[in-house]
Amino acid sequence: MGGGDVCKVMGGCSLAYRRCEQRLRQLAVARNTRFLLYCCIALALITLAFRSSPPSFIGFTNRSAASAIDRLARSRKGYTLLMNTWKRYDLLKKSLSHYASCSRLDSVHIVWSEPNPPSDTLKKYLKHIVKTKSQDGKEVELRFDINKEDSLNNRFKEIKDLKTEAVFSIDDDVIFSCSTVDFAYNVWESAPDSMVGFVPRVHWPEKSNDKGDYYTYSGWWSVWWTGTYSMVLSKAAFFHKKYLNLYTNEMSASIREFITKNRNCEDIAMSFLVANATNAPPIWVKGKIYEIGSTGISSIGGHTEKRTRCVNRFVAEYGRMPLVYSSMKAVDSRSLWFW
Ligand SMILES: *[C@@H]1O[C@H](CO)[C@@H](O)[C@H](O)[C@H]1NC(C)=O
């Protein structure tokens, strides 16, 4: 046998060894994967089993506790639905008929900025909806706040005889379940100076050499990626009615002019206003959003640049950046059984 043959045998052996090792490893991986898969299935089954009926082994039935909480909650005041709408009567009817069925709703104000006042048919129809849908025969007031000028500032106009402290500002094309809205209202009651909402946004500083601090406005993906936010949008948010007064009468008039002219950013202005007044971040509440309209302006190109311009304009007006970061998300712990 020559030296070359030994090499070949050795080579063959090590090849066989390597192959064998590879097989074993594959087997192990396959077994691990299968084990993980079984774990997932088991977990999913357990979750499903407990979701429908809360675990009673914890000591007392959750159901009676929950209804006690609800009864307590109902004895308190409730909120005003402040709905912004523009020539989309089918959406208005749809969303109003949903929110009218929420038990904590006290009254409805529809912000009307169209050149023509609402027709009698529409008024009658909406009144009928609100009356038939409201809970326990409760009388829910429905009012149209008619504006002559078409400006986005109308949305936050002061309402003199508002009955509730809490305002739930909502667009006509987004729907949240009543339990979600009730929960957000509870969160707001525990922090009535804060803005409490479902749609978080964030700003990021960018140092530029000549103009000092410059900020960019970022959308949902940035919030999702970083878990950080500094605004909640007024398309779905609770805030105290005093901020309507501040927005209309105290906030700098040039901010309102800017908003009317640019037809954008009234929601950012409200976030700045509340942040400046409280030196605190807003509160993001978990909630599933159902969009019933067509896609909004946020999907139109150039939207982010426009919003960034607004942020920097408002920073200049305030002489500082009032927005405060947060990474807190409020979740109804009754719907979480695990942790
Ligand atoms: C910001 O808050 C300060 C302190 O509360 C207040 O004096 C000031 O008027 C506010 N600025 C604006 C533009 O609202």
Side-chain angles (χ1 to χ4, degrees):
M1 218 156 62
D5 288 324
V6 174
C7 271
K8 250 184 232 160
V9 170
M10 289 280 283
C13 268
S14 78
L15 195 69
Y17 173 74
R18 239 184 285 148
R19 261 206 208 128
C20 181
E21 196 188 40
Q22 219 168 30
R23 270 297 291 158
L24 276 173
R25 221 181 291 144
Q26 275 169 357
L27 218 68
V29 167
R31 208 179 297 152
N32 275 345
T33 317
R34 214 176 307 151
F35 177 69
L36 268 177
L37 193 69
Y38 288 149
C39 279
C40 283
I41 291 171
L43 200 67
L45 285 177
I46 292 169
T47 311
L48 273 177
F50 279 130
R51 271 197 83 89
S52 42
S53 61
S56 54
F57 56 76
I58 288 178
F60 63 96
T61 56
N62 272 2
R63 216 170 282 279
S64 66
S67 70
I69 290 169
D70 286 343
R71 234 176 299 128
L72 249 178
R74 249 199 291 279
S75 66
R76 280 181 249 142
K77 195 70 177 93
Y79 56 85
T80 298
L81 188 75
L82 186 62
M83 186 173 284
N84 203 40
T85 187
W86 173 263
K87 294 194 175 175
R88 301 196 289 186
Y89 307 134
D90 51 332
L91 294 185
L92 182 62
K93 288 172 186 169
K94 218 177 195 171
S95 59
L96 202 57
S97 109
H98 166 68
Y99 288 113
S101 69
C102 297
S103 59
R104 317 283 295 276
L105 179 71
D106 179 84
S107 42
V108 179
H109 281 253
I110 297 171
V111 179
W112 194 268
S113 304
E114 294 177 24
N116 300 316
S119 70
D120 285 340
T121 347
L122 181 71
K123 274 199 211 165
K124 213 180 268 173
Y125 185 82
L126 293 180
K127 284 221 160 100
H128 174 73
I129 284 182
V130 168
K131 193 162 183 190
T132 51
K133 295 274 174 145
S134 55
Q135 300 284 303
D136 327 321
K138 187 176 47 155
E139 188 104 356
V140 172
E141 185 192 29
L142 170 71
R143 266 190 29 193
F144 289 84
D145 295 324
I146 314 272
N147 297 282
K148 285 195 208 85
E149 186 198 18
D150 169 28
S151 161
L152 285 175
N153 294 314
N154 292 343
R155 165 165 217 166
F156 299 134
K157 232 181 208 170
E158 190 186 11
I159 303 172
K160 282 275 157 48
D161 48 355
L162 211 54
K163 282 193 293 176
T164 66
E165 312 247 282
V167 173
F168 182 39
S169 165
I170 190 89
D171 280 359
D172 56 5
D173 58 355
V174 290
I175 289 205
F176 293 87
S177 74
C178 287
S179 60
T180 308
V181 175
D182 283 356
F183 176 68
Y185 175 57
N186 288 342
V187 173
W188 176 84
E189 281 191 310
S190 69
D193 285 336
S194 303
M195 223 172 147
V196 172
F198 296 110
V199 188
R201 292 292 181 264
V202 69
H203 73 284
W204 297 114
E206 243 174 59
K207 289 271 190 231
S208 68
N209 302 332
D210 44 347
K211 283 176 283 178
D213 283 342
Y214 186 79
Y215 300 93
T216 48
Y217 174 91
S218 280
W220 162 246
W221 289 111
S222 185
V223 173
W224 176 80
W225 183 250
T226 61
T228 303
Y229 63 98
S230 56
M231 301 166 247
V232 296
L233 299 187
S234 53
K235 74 187 283 177
F238 280 92
F239 52 79
H240 196 282
K241 69 172 175 185
K242 68 185 173 186
Y243 293 124
L244 295 176
N245 171 32
L246 283 183
Y247 188 99
T248 311
N249 303 316
E250 306 284 327
M251 191 176 74
S252 138
S254 61
I255 293 183
R256 285 194 300 274
E257 273 163 35
F258 180 82
I259 285 162
T260 304
K261 220 191 293 166
N262 289 273
R263 303 195 58 80
N264 205 330
C265 299
E266 84 288 1
D267 47 355
I268 298 180
M270 186 49 114
S271 286
F272 268 69
L273 177 87
V274 177
N276 178 63
T278 59
N279 286 313
I283 300 174
W284 173 21
V285 176
K286 177 183 171 152
K288 178 140 182 49
I289 185 167
Y290 298 94
E291 301 199 53
I292 54 174
S294 51
T295 48
I297 53 164
S298 58
S299 53
I300 295 169
H303 176 73
T304 307
E305 288 72 30
K306 224 174 172 182
R307 308 278 281 175
T308 290
R309 227 178 303 136
C310 294
V311 167
N312 288 291
R313 172 66 187 254
F314 299 161
V315 167
E317 288 283 346
Y318 279 84
R320 70 183 188 108
M321 166 49 91
L323 299 179
V324 181
Y325 289 112
S326 176
S327 55
M328 180 172 83
K329 185 172 179 180
V331 179
D332 190 341
S333 55
R334 285 176 294 176
S335 67
L336 297 174
W337 69 274
F338 204 42
W339 48 55

